[in-house]
Amino acid sequence: MSTPLIALTMGDGSGVGPEVIVGALLAPEPAGFCRPVVIGDAGRLRQAAAVLGVSARIETVGGVADAVFEPGRINVIDPGLLPADLPWGEVSAVAGNAAYEYVRLAGSLAMSGEVQAICTAPLNKEALHAAGHVFPGHTELLAHLTGTEEVSMMLSTAKVKVIHVTTHIGLIDAVARIEPGLVERTIRRGAAAMRGSGLERPKIGVCGINPHAGENGLFGYGEEEEKIVPALDRLRAEGMDVHGPLPADTAFFLAGRGDYDLIVAMYHDQGHGPVKILGLEAGVNITVGLPVIRTSVDHGTAFDIAGKGLADPGSMLEALRQAAELSQARTS
C-alpha cells in the first residue's frame, strides 16, 4: 500500500513556516510514512534552506501527479504570490493573502481526493486580516472552504489530547456561547476522532468553566449545571464513558498520568496552556469535523526568530506523522 499524499501549506512566508518545512522534509522520517507536496513559494523555501545552512533540491511541479519523491528533493506547487524581497518577521498583507491561497488550494486538492490530508504551517492572523480574509485562524478558514458548519480544534500530544468547545473568541463571549448542544456535539466529535485513531471507547474527562468546576455553586452562577451537565447526562445515557464537570487543574493532571484519553476544554487557554507546557514541539493541532483530514503545528509564525535558522521542525514532523496515520486509518 502506497503512503498517503499530503498537501503541506507553507503558511505565512514572513514567519518560520518555510524553515520548519525544509527542516522537516529533509529529515529521514517523513519518507517512511507520507508523500508531501508543499503548496507555497519555491524561492522562499530556498531562502529558508540557506538560512538553515542545508542543501535541498526544491523543485516546482505543476500538480500533485507531477511530484517525484527522492531523498533531498522537496516538491512545490508555487502560485507565484510572494516577492523575492519579502522581509522576514514582519506583518505583510501580501504574505497573508498568499497564506490564504495556499490553504484554499490545499483544500481543493483534498476535497477532490488528489491528496489524502492537509498539513499546515502557521499563518499570521493580522496579515490574513490585512489581506481582507477575516477569519480567526485555520480552523474557521477550512470550515468555510469546505462548507462545514461546525468544527472543533483538538490538540494532540503523546501525554494528553484536548478538544475545545470554544476557541478563538474572548473569554466573556466564550462563556456566553457555551451551551449543552455545543458541548454535546464537541464531545461527539472528539469521541469520533478517538475512534478514528483506533480507540473504540475512549474515556473522556470534561472540564468545568469556573474554578473547581463551580464547587457545587460556590463559584460562578451555576454555569456547570446549566451549560455542561445536561449534555453529559444525555451522553452517559447512551453509554458513553464521559466524566465531569471536572476542575480543569486536576483534569489535566489526571489525563497526564493516563486516567483519561481525551479532555474537553471549555475555552482556548484552558486547553492550550497545559499542552504548551509540554513544549511547542510536542503538540499537533487537528481540526475535527471536516470532510478532510487537517493537522498543523501547534505554534505560531514566531516572527521574532523567523529567518534566523532557529525554528524547531519537531512539531511539523509530528503533524505530518499524525496526518499520515489519520488518513491511513480512514481508508483502512
Side-chain angles (χ1 to χ4, degrees):
M1 179 179 174
S2 59
T3 56
L5 285 159
I6 296 177
L8 175 50
T9 61
M10 196 180 80
D12 192 300
S14 295
V16 296
E19 294 167 80
V20 297
I21 285 174
V22 170
L25 296 189
L26 290 184
E29 294 91 344
F33 53 74
C34 71
R35 290 173 291 158
V37 178
V38 180
I39 317 297
D41 189 89
R44 194 56 158 182
L45 291 168
R46 293 187 186 105
Q47 292 174 10
V51 301
L52 290 170
V54 297
S55 175
R57 291 167 49 218
I58 297 168
E59 305 286 351
T60 57
V61 295
V64 173
D66 302 319
V68 176
F69 299 95
E70 298 172 340
R73 173 178 168 132
I74 297 174
N75 296 283
V76 189
I77 297 174
D78 184 353
L81 299 173
L82 292 184
D85 61 351
L86 180 74
W88 294 100
E90 296 181 13
V91 173
S92 161
V94 171
N97 182 64
Y100 170 86
E101 291 296 334
Y102 301 152
V103 176
R104 187 188 62 79
L105 179 53
S108 177
L109 291 171
M111 290 293 283
S112 68
E114 293 180 70
V115 298
Q116 285 72 61
I118 301 169
C119 184
T120 61
L123 51 73
N124 182 278
K125 296 174 182 64
E126 186 179 351
L128 188 70
H129 290 193
H133 307 296
V134 186
F135 296 93
H138 273 115
T139 304
E140 298 81 2
L141 172 55
L142 281 161
H144 168 75
L145 291 172
T146 59
T148 308
E149 186 173 338
E150 191 175 89
V151 296
S152 298
M153 176 188 293
M154 178 184 284
L155 301 182
S156 175
T157 75
K159 275 196 167 185
V160 64
K161 291 177 173 56
V162 187
I163 192 166
H164 295 70
V165 175
T166 66
T167 49
H168 295 124
I169 56 176
L171 184 55
I172 292 173
D173 295 330
V175 174
R177 183 173 295 184
I178 297 165
E179 50 86 21
L182 178 57
V183 172
E184 180 181 343
R185 294 191 300 275
T186 302
I187 296 171
R188 289 188 188 280
R189 279 190 288 271
M194 298 300 288
R195 289 193 297 271
S197 64
L199 190 59
E200 189 55 38
R201 192 169 186 270
K203 187 174 182 180
I204 300 172
V206 181
C207 293
I209 296 171
N210 295 296
H212 302 278
E215 193 79 51
N216 296 317
L218 291 178
F219 304 118
Y221 299 91
E223 288 88 354
E224 281 75 19
E225 288 296 323
E226 174 192 347
K227 295 171 175 287
I228 301 173
V229 170
L232 303 189
D233 287 344
R234 285 195 291 269
L235 295 170
R236 289 189 192 111
E238 296 178 12
M240 194 174 289
D241 194 3
V242 181
H243 303 258
L246 304 170
D249 51 358
T250 54
F252 284 96
F253 166 75
L254 295 172
R257 75 179 189 186
D259 290 17
Y260 295 107
D261 302 303
L262 176 67
I263 291 293
V264 180
M266 291 295 128
Y267 51 90
H268 184 281
D269 284 12
Q270 188 183 63
H272 276 61
V275 171
K276 293 290 178 70
I277 267 303
L278 298 174
L280 292 180
E281 75 286 348
V284 171
N285 184 336
I286 303 170
T287 306
V288 178
L290 292 172
V292 299
I293 291 165
R294 179 259 173 167
T295 67
S296 178
V297 295
D298 185 30
H299 59 72
T301 47
F303 278 176
D304 57 326
I305 63 168
K308 299 178 181 178
L310 301 175
D312 188 333
S315 185
M316 177 57 75
L317 279 167
E318 184 60 17
L320 282 167
R321 186 185 68 78
Q322 292 203 31
E325 288 183 355
L326 288 167
S327 62
Q328 287 173 330
R330 181 173 289 190
T331 56
S332 62

